[in-house]
Amino acid sequence: MSKETISEQGIALLNVLTPRQKEYALTLYSGREKKKSTAYILWIVFAVYYFYLGHPVKNIIFWLLWTCFIGEIWWIIDLFRISGMVDRKNEEILLQCIAEARQLCPGVTGTMKVQIIKPDQTQE
């Protein structure tokens, strides 16, 4: 796992943890992190990249639409979307790992509060 795979927001969340929690969260993350290369290989070979990214229903719908022209268009468009899909999944995985680290390794953490705003949401 390289630092480039973790966003600035993820790094900020990790820095709030105690050293033990941070180590535990990074250990969990390194085992669960999704690789872009694997997603692209699954896109080419079996078109099972949605299963890999945790969306089995979407993959089944994709397969059903493959019988008509819509599936092929969707498949080509996803070639350009896979990188972002993997990044979003890894961000989700990191948040889960941080939450597990806080539960399993209790300790006093900093008082910094971080608000997570998804790109498609506006701040009120």
Side-chain angles (χ1 to χ4, degrees), residues 4-20:
E4 295 139 11
T5 61
I6 299 177
S7 67
E8 290 180 22
Q9 173 185 335
I11 292 171
L13 290 171
L14 284 169
N15 287 334
V16 176
L17 301 175
T18 65
R20 184 175 177 202

Side-chain angles (χ1 to χ4, degrees), residues 64-106:
L64 292 173
L65 291 174
W66 188 261
T67 58
C68 60
F69 194 60
I70 296 170
E72 287 92 15
I73 293 171
W74 182 357
W75 187 66
I76 298 295
I77 291 171
D78 277 351
L79 171 64
F80 302 101
R81 295 181 57 233
I82 286 177
S83 179
M85 290 189 286
V86 171
D87 289 341
R88 284 188 297 279
K89 183 64 178 179
N90 282 337
E91 192 72 28
E92 178 184 315
I93 290 169
L94 180 62
L95 293 175
Q96 291 171 349
C97 292
I98 289 171
E100 286 180 37
R102 284 183 174 154
Q103 289 178 345
L104 296 175
C105 301

Side-chain angles (χ1 to χ4, degrees), residues 34 36 38-56 58-59 62-63 66 71-79 81-82 85-86:
K34 301 297 180 186
K36 290 179 185 180
T38 303
Y40 279 112
I41 289 169
L42 293 173
W43 175 84
I44 292 169
V45 179
F46 301 112
V48 292
Y49 51 98
Y50 281 112
F51 281 115
Y52 179 66
L53 296 174
H55 302 287
K58 195 179 278 189
N59 214 125
F62 169 75
W63 283 345
W66 188 261
E72 287 92 15
I73 293 171
W74 182 357
W75 187 66
I76 298 295
I77 291 171
D78 277 351
L79 171 64
R81 295 181 57 233
I82 286 177
M85 290 189 286
V86 171

